[in-house]
Amino acid sequence: MVFRFKEFLADLFLPSSSSDSEEEEENVDFTESLFRTFKKGLYMAYIGVWACSKMYTIYNVSQSIGKYLEKPVRTQITTYRSENGSMPFPTISICNLNKVNKSYMDQHADLAMVWRVVSSPWAYPDVNWTTEPYSLYKNLTYYDIYQFSSTWEQTAVACNHAGVRYCDSLHFSRENIISQDFGPTGKCFRFNPNGVIRSKAGDYGSIYLRLNVNRREYLVLDEVLFTVAIHHHTQYSVTRNTGIQISPGFKYKIGVRAVEREELDTSKGGKCDASRRTNSYGAYDLESCHMECRDKILEKECGCVLWLPPHNIHGYRRCTIQETYECGFSAYYKFVLKESDVDHVPDNKDCHCPVPCKNTIYSLQTTTTALSKEWAQRKAQSEGKKFNYTDTDYLENNVIIEVFFADMYVDKIAQIPAYDFWNFLADVGGMMGLLLGASVFTLLEVATKLSKKVYQHSRKKD
């Protein structure tokens, strides 16, 4: 039995009647008209769906193009473990708050007076550098005066690695164990300055340092302490902004964990500048960039800088204390006030410091315990004669810092593209395939036919 669609429509929409032939003819004509109307409606509906699919596809493709051109990014946090069971130990920067020894200043009273003037120029506004004693010391620099502070041997009373080995037994040259750095916090010591020491987690890889603050040498006893910073060995002069302060009479046990941060370059949607990897302060980061800005401003306004950067690639010259008094000090604090102003928005002409593309920082977990009187008494009995210290002197001068890896894991915080080319291709291809039935092969076929048409049309013109 064959299903007849026209008859079905006629039976559905028309009353059944077999009165005469004229009625049958009218019914047939009406059925034909109804069928044509229905067919036309289906065709129009098809055209409408096709047009809507086209427009919706164009809209979604344009959205995908815009999203791809915006280059969105996302942050991925992963944790991995050191493969060989040890990691490079961070550098420990140690700065004594006292910048010049009192015993030296007591022997040079004139220099002591000049130092007070240079340290507080606002309190001495009218200084004649052509008269003595100012004329005798006007060509000295901060670097020259910082030399008269405690040495590493006077500062580090004990140094142990892993709790059982003396630091001198690490079989490294002195340059790989300790070096000096000069900056706003005075003369600082960098333990493990080149990152050659490797350690394991816990006490088996700790660095134990017993430090002597040398209280008797303090010019001012308002605060007696060290500033300590734990950082990557490629960074310098970080104690002023990232250091922690430790006081005598306590033991500080600091667990560290390495955190690697990676940012995408501006060409990939990130905010970092891949061309800025190093500068005159070692590895590029925001702090070293601001210190470079400071030096450029001082060089521009005074023709010198207060402290030479560790890599003096710009050929700066140290300011004398006269230049520091007359220009350097005011220019320096003018820069600090400007940078600390929350309403100040730096621009490229001022100080452009994008985020670093890659840097390593260390998260710290610190516990503090007071040194006991019994410990001080034992030290006074065993080595008190060497330093001329009583048990009270030990509590007022000695501080212990023990730094160790909390574990052998590294946290990696990386910026990655959130919508790359393959995501874009998948979205566009999926939309065209779903709504238009298009694929790579159909697009190639259309392109082939169009190229043939163009070729044939050009041949006809010829």
Side-chain angles (χ1 to χ4, degrees):
M1 179 178 180
V2 179
F3 176 77
R4 299 182 181 277
F5 189 65
K6 294 181 179 180
E7 286 76 356
F8 170 74
L9 290 177
D11 293 339
L12 183 64
F13 294 101
L14 297 176
S16 60
S17 174
S18 56
S19 59
D20 50 26
S21 60
E22 292 181 359
E23 290 181 355
E24 290 181 358
E25 289 179 0
E26 290 178 0
N27 291 341
V28 170
D29 293 339
F30 182 77
T31 303
E32 291 287 345
S33 175
L34 184 64
F35 178 75
R36 285 194 298 270
T37 303
F38 182 78
K39 185 177 180 181
K40 186 176 181 179
L42 287 177
Y43 180 75
M44 295 300 294
Y46 172 80
I47 294 296
V49 172
W50 181 85
C52 291
S53 298
K54 285 280 188 182
M55 289 186 291
Y56 187 68
T57 301
I58 293 173
Y59 170 77
N60 279 279
V61 170
S62 64
Q63 290 289 102
S64 298
I65 293 174
K67 186 176 180 180
Y68 176 70
L69 293 177
E70 287 178 0
K71 299 177 181 179
V73 298
R74 62 186 177 91
T75 300
Q76 183 182 64
I77 302 176
T78 57
T79 301
Y80 67 91
R81 192 178 190 277
S82 176
E83 296 180 356
N84 55 8
S86 66
M87 292 192 299
F89 202 79
T91 297
I92 306 174
S93 291
I94 304 165
C95 306
N96 197 325
L97 186 63
N98 186 51
K99 299 176 182 178
V100 186
N101 283 347
K102 183 176 181 297
S103 59
Y104 184 84
M105 288 300 187
D106 288 342
Q107 297 174 9
H108 301 81
D110 291 343
L111 178 59
M113 184 174 68
V114 175
W115 177 248
R116 285 195 298 270
V117 169
V118 176
S119 301
S120 306
W122 60 86
Y124 305 90
D126 301 317
V127 173
N128 186 355
W129 290 93
T130 61
T131 62
E132 294 186 2
Y134 305 107
S135 60
L136 300 176
Y137 302 102
K138 65 180 182 180
N139 292 324
L140 291 180
T141 65
Y142 272 149
Y143 176 83
D144 299 323
I145 298 176
Y146 287 164
Q147 299 299 322
F148 308 118
S149 58
S150 298
T151 63
W152 173 249
E153 287 72 20
Q154 294 170 331
T155 301
V157 181
C159 177
N160 296 329
H161 179 237
V164 295
R165 293 186 294 271
Y166 292 108
C167 294
D168 294 339
S169 66
L170 292 174
H171 303 297
F172 295 124
S173 63
R174 179 179 171 82
E175 291 74 19
N176 284 326
I177 296 294
I178 196 70
S179 67
Q180 295 181 358
D181 182 23
F182 296 88
T185 48
K187 180 171 69 176
C188 300
F189 301 104
R190 289 167 52 88
F191 182 83
N192 189 30
N194 301 319
V196 297
I197 299 176
R198 299 183 66 89
S199 292
K200 295 184 176 181
D203 293 337
Y204 295 106
S206 66
I207 294 292
Y208 172 98
L209 294 170
R210 179 156 63 95
L211 307 175
N212 179 26
V213 76
N214 213 351
R215 182 186 181 93
R216 297 170 182 171
E217 293 290 356
Y218 266 63
L219 292 173
V220 180
L221 290 173
D222 293 344
E223 290 182 299
V224 180
L225 51 86
F226 287 105
T227 302
V228 175
I230 299 172
H231 54 90
H232 196 262
H233 68 273
T234 57
Q235 298 172 320
Y236 291 82
S237 300
V238 297
T239 52
R240 183 174 181 84
N241 296 294
T242 62
I244 59 174
Q245 294 182 336
I246 59 175
S247 301
F250 293 91
K251 177 181 179 180
Y252 297 84
K253 195 161 186 176
I254 304 175
V256 303
R257 185 168 184 168
V259 180
E260 296 178 352
R261 304 187 65 173
E262 294 183 0
E263 301 279 342
L264 289 175
D265 184 54
T266 52
S267 62
K268 299 178 181 178
K271 298 285 183 70
C272 84
D273 185 353
S275 64
R276 304 180 71 170
R277 297 186 180 275
T278 60
N279 54 28
S280 58
Y281 286 90
Y284 174 84
D285 58 18
L286 293 178
E287 182 58 30
S288 66
C289 179
H290 283 287
M291 288 189 288
E292 274 210 330
C293 292
R294 176 200 67 196
D295 291 344
K296 289 178 182 178
I297 291 176
L298 286 170
E299 169 68 19
K300 181 179 179 180
E301 296 190 10
C302 306
C304 58
V305 296
L306 300 182
W307 309 279
L308 286 183
H311 306 294
N312 191 15
I313 57 178
H314 302 293
Y316 293 138
R317 177 181 63 84
R318 292 188 182 97
C319 292
T320 64
I321 59 175
Q322 179 182 355
E323 292 171 324
T324 301
Y325 173 86
E326 294 176 343
C327 178
F329 202 86
S330 60
Y332 171 71
Y333 274 94
K334 182 179 175 182
F335 170 80
V336 172
L337 290 174
K338 190 175 183 180
E339 289 298 307
S340 59
D341 185 2
V342 294
D343 297 324
H344 170 65
V345 180
D347 53 22
N348 292 348
K349 296 180 181 178
D350 195 11
C351 183
H352 178 55
C353 292
V355 296
C357 292
K358 187 175 182 179
N359 69 328
T360 300
I361 60 176
Y362 294 92
S363 61
L364 309 180
Q365 295 179 343
T366 306
T367 58
T368 307
T369 56
L371 299 177
S372 65
K373 292 182 179 180
E374 291 75 14
W375 174 87
Q377 290 172 356
R378 288 198 303 271
K379 290 301 177 183
Q381 293 174 1
S382 61
E383 58 184 37
K385 292 182 179 180
K386 177 181 178 181
F387 299 99
N388 193 22
Y389 276 2
T390 63
D391 52 352
T392 302
D393 291 329
Y394 274 100
L395 294 177
E396 291 182 348
N397 287 273
N398 278 199
V399 55
I400 297 174
I401 176 174
E402 187 174 1
V403 183
F404 63 97
F405 281 121
D407 50 46
M408 286 288 98
Y409 290 92
V410 178
D411 295 328
K412 185 175 182 179
I413 304 174
Q415 207 177 49
I416 60 175
Y419 195 78
D420 58 11
F421 174 75
W422 299 109
N423 297 122
F424 166 73
L425 190 63
D427 283 351
V428 173
M431 192 63 60
M432 295 181 67
L434 177 64
L435 298 178
L436 302 181
S439 66
V440 174
F441 299 104
T442 57
L443 293 176
L444 289 175
E445 185 178 354
V446 170
T448 302
K449 289 183 177 179
L450 286 175
S451 62
K452 286 182 178 179
K453 290 289 185 182
V454 172
Y455 176 74
Q456 292 172 359
H457 183 70
S458 63
R459 289 294 300 271
K460 286 181 180 180
K461 286 186 174 181
D462 295 338

